[in-house]
Amino acid sequence: MQVLPNGVHWIPGYLDIEAQRALLDDIRGVVRQAPLFVPAMPGTGKPMSVRMTNCGSLGWVTDKARGYRYQTTHPHTGKPWPTMPQSLTRIWTELASFPKPAQACLVNFYDERAKMGLHQDRDERDLSAPVVSISLGDTCLFRVGETTRSGRTTSFRLSSGDAVILSGKSRLAFHGVDRIYPDTSPLLKNGGRINLTMRVVE
Ligand code: MD3
Ligand code: FE
């Protein structure tokens, strides 16, 4: 485990290849029940380049009219989100050191052109709970800063199987994904990157 300057805990190679494959299988099951959707920016309706879905009792969604929020159902199918696979709840228990279970796991899919601008995660009512993130597939260039947008940032590469834990001060750090490095992992046959973020919402 490495602690970065801003208090971000990073565990390179947290999941071995077997565990990555098993988790990916579970995520494929989630995506079959809750298809990836294209999120839109509040106000402008501009599509994000990342595609998303969720599992757990709550899921993060966004659209032009209603903006960023958590809700109990998929925005297109109207069905409740699939339950969180045990592979994920086990990771939460091991890494979060928090008395409550995760309510939401956001699944982000990046193709080779996708990125995520610098932002803070503050749509959760309980900001005392950590966020636990797992990366699968192609490597990305990840950037994390301070709790103000203008703070200095540190960049590092997140690879398949890496875990990141955001707690305490780092929980409100600005962060984003600047780029995906194509063909850096054999895990996803058509390439791309999946990021899973588990959260307590309320
Ligand atoms: C640092 N996801 O879903 S994961 C997001 O790789 C998000 O898909 C990125 O940012 C991704 O909101 C980054 C690592 C991560 C997650 C939450 C954080 C880093 C964070 C919250 C606070 C600070
Ligand atoms: Fe985020």
Side-chain angles (χ1 to χ4, degrees):
M1 161 122 71
Q2 299 193 36
V3 185
L4 302 172
N6 21 52
V8 173
H9 290 68
W10 178 30
I11 312 178
Y14 171 66
L15 296 179
D16 65 20
I17 188 68
E18 287 289 296
Q20 292 173 41
R21 286 202 196 98
L23 179 55
L24 177 61
D25 263 5
D26 288 341
I27 298 306
R28 288 203 167 108
V30 166
V31 172
R32 264 197 303 276
Q33 299 173 72
L36 292 167
F37 61 91
V38 178
M41 297 294 290
T44 64
K46 189 179 183 300
M48 295 184 180
S49 57
V50 175
R51 292 189 295 152
M52 300 178 168
T53 189
N54 294 268
C55 56
S57 54
L58 288 170
W60 188 87
V61 300
T62 173
D63 57 35
K64 177 176 173 161
R66 297 175 62 199
Y68 305 149
R69 64 195 186 275
Y70 282 90
Q71 63 180 41
T72 57
T73 56
H74 189 287
H76 297 165
T77 68
K79 294 198 293 188
W81 301 107
T83 54
M84 219 180 283
Q86 201 177 64
S87 49
L88 282 175
T89 58
R90 206 179 296 126
I91 292 170
W92 174 265
T93 302
E94 184 168 85
L95 297 184
S97 321
F98 195 73
K100 294 192 229 172
Q103 293 169 299
C105 178
L106 174 61
V107 178
N108 291 328
F109 176 77
Y110 296 76
D111 67 20
E112 62 185 52
R113 293 173 305 278
K115 42 189 190 246
M116 189 177 281
L118 207 64
H119 68 278
Q120 278 176 308
D121 289 13
R122 50 184 320 153
D123 301 319
E124 301 76 26
R125 198 167 67 204
D126 188 347
L127 293 170
S128 74
V131 174
V132 172
S133 145
I134 301 287
S135 294
L136 295 174
D138 286 333
T139 301
C140 78
L141 183 62
F142 179 71
R143 186 142 62 106
V144 61
E146 299 171 4
T147 56
T148 57
R149 183 174 288 281
S150 57
R152 40 175 316 158
T153 61
T154 308
S155 292
F156 56 105
R157 286 171 171 74
L158 287 179
S159 301
S160 196
D162 289 5
V164 179
I165 305 149
L166 302 310
S167 56
K169 185 167 177 288
S170 69
R171 177 63 182 78
L172 283 171
F174 277 83
H175 58 281
V177 174
D178 290 332
R179 63 165 297 191
I180 303 296
Y181 298 102
D183 305 316
T184 46
S185 162
L187 189 70
L188 304 180
K189 61 180 185 307
N190 297 319
R193 170 175 183 265
I194 294 171
N195 183 263
L196 309 168
T197 48
M198 284 174 273
R199 298 181 168 86
V200 174
V201 177
E202 51 191 28

